[in-house]
Amino acid sequence: MTDQAPIRPEARSPRGFVDRRGHDLLAERRIVARVSEVYERWGFEALETSAFEYADALGKFLPDADRPNEGVFALQDDAGSDEPGEWMALRYDHTAPLARFAAQNWETLPKPYRRYAYGPVWRNEKPGPGRLRQFWQCDADTVGSDRPEADAEILAMGVEGLLATGLTPDQAVIRVSNRKLFDGLFDAGGLTDANQRLTALRAVDKFDRLGIEGVRLLLGEGRLDDSGDYTKGANLPAPLISAIEAFLASSSQTNASRAQVLDAIANVGASLGNAGEAALKELSAIDRALTSMGVEQSAVVFDPTIVRGLEYYTGTVFEAELLMETRDDKGRLVRYGSIGGGGRYDDLVARFTGQTIPATGFSFGVSRLASALRAAGQSDQARTRGPVVVIVFSEEDMQHYLDAVSELRKAGIAAELYLGRAGMKAQMKYADRRNAPAVVILGGDEIAAGQVTIKDLDAGRARAAAIADNEAWKAERPGQQTVMRDALIPTLKAIIE
Amino acid sequence: MTDQAPIRPEARSPRGFVDRRGHDLLAERRIVARVSEVYERWGFEALETSAFEYADALGKFLPDADRPNEGVFALQDDAGSDEPGEWMALRYDHTAPLARFAAQNWETLPKPYRRYAYGPVWRNEKPGPGRLRQFWQCDADTVGSDRPEADAEILAMGVEGLLATGLTPDQAVIRVSNRKLFDGLFDAGGLTDANQRLTALRAVDKFDRLGIEGVRLLLGEGRLDDSGDYTKGANLPAPLISAIEAFLASSSQTNASRAQVLDAIANVGASLGNAGEAALKELSAIDRALTSMGVEQSAVVFDPTIVRGLEYYTGTVFEAELLMETRDDKGRLVRYGSIGGGGRYDDLVARFTGQTIPATGFSFGVSRLASALRAAGQSDQARTRGPVVVIVFSEEDMQHYLDAVSELRKAGIAAELYLGRAGMKAQMKYADRRNAPAVVILGGDEIAAGQVTIKDLDAGRARAAAIADNEAWKAERPGQQTVMRDALIPTLKAIIE
């Protein structure tokens, strides 16, 4: 669309977008299928909204609103008239579209409305290593319940969902807190300015990265980081900073039970105000419900440093964290950290209707989880098998090849005819690259004799590895057998199964 | 984003976009899963490209290029610098992204490269009744084979895929032709202007809607339609128009076999040129391969009026058509017509590389097929069952409800706790709306007696329909039984299975 456009476009994906294929893609889809099965069993109904929402309906809740277009991909609807139309944007998560959907259909929905959703979301971020601008999320939410048991159910289901993907219980944890604890601390400390409160929350959100010292600076005047960048602080009064510090320190015990963490928070000395007291009651009810549902203390822990970056949360907040460590190609330690989270957002539907409709939900990043499982060697160990490949020699015998490949498919065996124009050697290489279990050879001799040759590629590979002498290997033709044509299916089934 | 923006956004989907949920959504997903299973069995590998492509990579191939942005949703990449970046656009199909992917990865792909893809595509059309701006397509393509058998395989697989969705053999047909037949006619008629050729092809593409008279006008000076709009014609010389007419008329025999149609075309009297003769040879090879693969004459027919609207096709073209007729709510006849198609596009990869890489593929519209199957009553007859609902009476007994619902889920029974705050009657209504098979009642009496009451909602509904007297129905409590608490699972399983 510029004057200097080259005649031939360059074949490349847009920055920050990737293609996924074959085995890796199927592994991601399996994760989604297994988690969806859990969500269905827990009584959640499937919903798929479209990629676009009107920008006003989507709202501005992403943490880094200083990016262009507030971090979303937006465009003006230009169809149907000469005037510029309304702004539309691609969804940045599944929660904002759910709030719009629930508000739009509230009268006719069964209430509470429980739905799950999965699919791509888009963030207009500056692309960087490992930072994608399109990724899959998989969510479950309950809209219309203010019960702590609704939060507990989402948490328990989140644990079961993560296990269903192939994680072991020691590889993931969900950390839980309640934003109202901070509302209470702020109220008690006399902090009323909404922007200051938000800046303070975002400072606390950096606790796991910056530690207590970094957070203290960001709650105060500000912080100079190692690169020389200065971040302005929330400028809280000193007593409030101390109260928050004491509060955060209550999370310092490791292996504390959920009840012990609640005790520690209650005894921290800082006044939590009415909001904080309400938060403690809710967390206590969540703990009871989790225990009833048999959720281990190590699977869901209470952690007062959790606040979450998204602005719309109003109460319970949670974050799912991978505890597994893997090593990359260069032997460096890779931690995956957060793979999702969620919480209560009681005001999001009210944006539309004015009527408060309490809601709570959980979301996790499919691609990130898939990549962690893959790195840990826990995605399906068996490589996805390719199809049986029928070798093509001559145009005249095409009929015989087509007969064979049709017969295989009808027998439920994944199969294909080699459709290129290369010779036998290239076809064998092709079959190997497709991870074919076997090739079917119908040469002139075989056809004349009413026979077929079948080469078991796994057996061939295994034997080839065992025989050092290339000439001996060739003479032996390991894994190769010639049988009568009507024995094709049973012979192949014996190889594949 | 305007000054007059209301404080409360209106809860609505953008024009031309819809939400899908529950049963209907699951039916669509089942279609995709079943067709994917066929594609895998035929040796095709999964690929998922991202929603965005650079606009130059996507190209301009949509038939109605006079729409804003050539019918795509486009925006300028604004991340990472202050200067306006490159234009990106949402894919309008899965073929253009495949061409980009194949060109980008050609060196390392197994060749021929066979892939299937599904997911949403976006068209920036003027929204209208039944015309959506986002819809799902499901595709399979072979890149790197010039063999007619590659086309035949795609066709045979298309037939099997459509049957796998639940269509019966008499409900769909794939019509096939070859664009080179027209290239030959144009060559022989001395028509060299590329724009005239394209206008003529688009005239022929309207054959099924306008009939031979309408096409004749569009091949000549032009046509005035009923609404008074005038469409300029291709201005072909009269002898060429006659030749095309005779050619189109060769499709007039009904129930002609593929071989008979080829004979009729060969004997039409018009010169087909070298291109046309080559097309006949390809169609003949396709016919032989289809017959070898056992594809019925009625499932894939040759029809020289097929040309397809997309500009990138170079040879074989095909169109899948639903033959079923259904009636809408008002008893009016609804024909579904085309639900997909495809063909050979040998130059699409060469746009990037300069090197011709032949390719052929098939695409069908998932949502349209799902809606046809639904209208014909052929989507899964059994309504998707909802979860068993555990009724909630009092806060104090929450533990008992949670125990029960956990037990059900562990036994593999889809179940949920009612999480709202309404009374018994509303909860029963909720269970009914969720299409729950049963509700579990743990009132104070039941808990005290170590019992549980289970209400079979199907039995209840059936009995209620049979009993005219409301009072009698209430007294009888049809489908309701109280059992010992440890009989909960077996009792429910008996109801559900």
Side-chain angles (χ1 to χ4, degrees), chain B residues 146-209:
Chain B
D146 62 355
R147 290 190 187 270
E149 288 79 11
D151 302 290
E153 188 185 58
I154 294 279
L155 289 165
M157 183 172 67
V159 171
E160 188 168 329
L162 292 175
L163 293 179
T165 67
L167 287 171
T168 56
D170 59 320
Q171 288 181 315
V173 65
I174 303 185
R175 302 186 190 282
V176 181
S177 187
N178 192 311
R179 279 228 180 146
K180 283 192 276 192
L181 291 170
F182 283 95
D183 291 337
L185 282 169
F186 295 157
D187 290 348
L191 186 73
T192 52
D193 183 77
N195 276 331
Q196 257 185 310
R197 289 168 82 126
L198 192 60
T199 311
L201 276 184
R202 294 211 166 127
V204 174
D205 192 34
K206 300 193 173 113
F207 180 81
D208 65 333
R209 198 154 51 84

Side-chain angles (χ1 to χ4, degrees), chain A residues 12 15 20-22 42 46 48 77 79 86 100 108 124 133 145-146 153 409 419 421 433, chain B residues 12 15 19-22 42 45-46 48 77-79 86 108 133 145-146 153 409 419 421 433:
Chain A
R12 76 276 187 234
R15 296 182 308 153
R20 291 128 61 227
R21 58 179 279 225
W42 285 61
E48 195 168 306
D77 191 358
E86 289 182 79
R100 187 271 305 157
T108 59
N124 193 357
R133 300 165 89 189
S145 175
D146 62 355
E153 188 186 57
R409 287 165 178 161
L419 285 169
R421 297 211 179 250
R433 298 197 54 197
Chain B
R12 76 277 185 233
R15 295 181 311 151
D19 305 311
R20 291 129 61 229
R21 59 179 279 226
W42 285 61
E45 182 190 277
E48 195 168 306
D77 190 357
D78 54 12
E86 290 183 79
T108 58
R133 301 166 87 188
S145 174
D146 62 355
E153 188 185 58
R409 287 166 178 159
L419 285 168
R421 300 217 177 244
R433 298 197 53 197

Side-chain angles (χ1 to χ4, degrees), chain B residues 338-392:
Chain B
S338 172
I339 46 146
R344 193 162 262 293
Y345 48 97
D346 287 351
D347 298 332
L348 206 50
V349 181
R351 279 187 70 229
F352 299 98
T353 59
Q355 174 200 1
T356 292
I357 297 178
T360 184
F362 174 71
S363 171
F364 75 89
V366 177
S367 322
R368 199 146 172 196
L369 180 54
S371 118
L373 286 167
R374 192 162 58 237
Q378 279 169 262
S379 90
D380 289 64
Q381 297 295 341
R383 265 180 76 197
T384 314
R385 291 319 309 240
V388 169
V389 174
V390 177
I391 302 290
V392 166

Side-chain angles (χ1 to χ4, degrees), chain A residues 44-47 94-95 98 113-117 139-142:
Chain A
F44 287 71
E45 182 189 278
L47 172 69
H94 294 296
T95 312
L98 168 64
Y113 174 59
R114 304 148 69 91
R115 84 90 181 81
Y116 71 95
D139 287 39
D141 295 77
T142 299

Side-chain angles (χ1 to χ4, degrees), chain A residues 1 8-15 17-22 25-26 29 40-57 68-69 73-75 77-80 86-88 90 100-101 103-104 108-114 116 118 122 124-126 133-134 136 142 145-147 149-150 153 289 292-293 351-354 387 392 395 398-399 402-403 406 409-410 412-421 430 433-434, chain B residues 1 8-15 17-22 25-26 29 40-57 68-69 73-75 77-80 86-88 90 100-101 103-104 108-114 116 118 122 124-126 133-134 136 142 145-147 149-150 153 289 292-293 350-354 387 392 395 398-399 402-403 406 409-410 412-421 430 433-434:
Chain A
M1 299 207 179
R8 277 188 202 140
E10 192 193 337
R12 76 276 187 234
S13 310
R15 296 182 308 153
F17 294 92
V18 293
D19 304 312
R20 291 128 61 227
R21 58 179 279 225
L25 177 56
L26 293 186
R29 289 185 176 161
E40 295 259 356
R41 185 149 40 81
W42 285 61
F44 287 71
E45 182 189 278
L47 172 69
E48 195 168 306
T49 59
S50 72
F52 279 109
E53 295 286 339
Y54 282 125
D56 65 347
N69 281 319
F73 290 105
L75 50 81
D77 191 358
D78 55 11
E86 289 182 79
W87 280 91
M88 310 196 299
L90 292 177
R100 187 271 305 157
F101 174 85
Q104 187 175 347
T108 59
L109 287 173
K111 285 171 273 285
Y113 174 59
R114 304 148 69 91
Y116 71 95
Y118 56 75
W122 292 268
N124 193 357
E125 316 220 13
K126 194 173 165 180
R133 300 165 89 189
Q134 171 179 325
W136 271 56
T142 299
S145 175
D146 62 355
R147 291 191 187 269
E149 288 79 10
E153 188 186 57
S292 286
M293 289 186 279
R351 278 187 72 230
F352 298 98
T353 59
V392 167
E395 212 75 37
M398 197 53 93
Q399 159 94 44
L402 286 166
D403 282 351
S406 298
R409 287 165 178 161
K410 281 193 187 102
I413 298 171
E416 63 168 86
L417 189 63
Y418 174 76
L419 285 169
R421 297 211 179 250
Y430 171 84
R433 298 197 54 197
R434 291 300 311 276
Chain B
M1 301 208 179
R8 277 186 201 142
E10 193 193 334
R12 76 277 185 233
S13 309
R15 295 181 311 151
F17 295 92
V18 293
D19 305 311
R20 291 129 61 229
R21 59 179 279 226
L25 177 56
L26 293 185
R29 289 183 177 161
E40 295 259 355
R41 184 149 41 80
W42 285 61
F44 287 71
E45 182 190 277
L47 172 69
E48 195 168 306
T49 59
S50 72
F52 278 110
E53 295 286 340
Y54 282 125
D56 64 347
N69 282 317
F73 290 105
L75 50 81
D77 190 357
D78 54 12
E86 290 183 79
W87 279 93
M88 310 196 299
L90 293 176
R100 188 269 306 156
F101 173 84
Q104 186 176 347
T108 58
L109 286 174
K111 286 173 273 287
Y113 174 59
R114 305 149 69 91
Y116 71 94
Y118 56 74
W122 293 267
N124 193 357
E125 316 220 14
K126 195 174 164 180
R133 301 166 87 188
Q134 170 178 328
W136 271 55
T142 300
S145 174
D146 62 355
R147 290 190 187 270
E149 288 79 11
E153 188 185 58
S292 286
M293 289 187 279
R351 279 187 70 229
F352 299 98
T353 59
V392 166
E395 213 75 38
M398 197 56 90
Q399 159 94 43
L402 286 166
D403 282 351
S406 298
R409 287 166 178 159
K410 280 192 187 107
I413 298 171
E416 63 168 87
L417 189 63
Y418 174 77
L419 285 168
R421 300 217 177 244
Y430 171 83
R433 298 197 53 197
R434 291 299 312 275

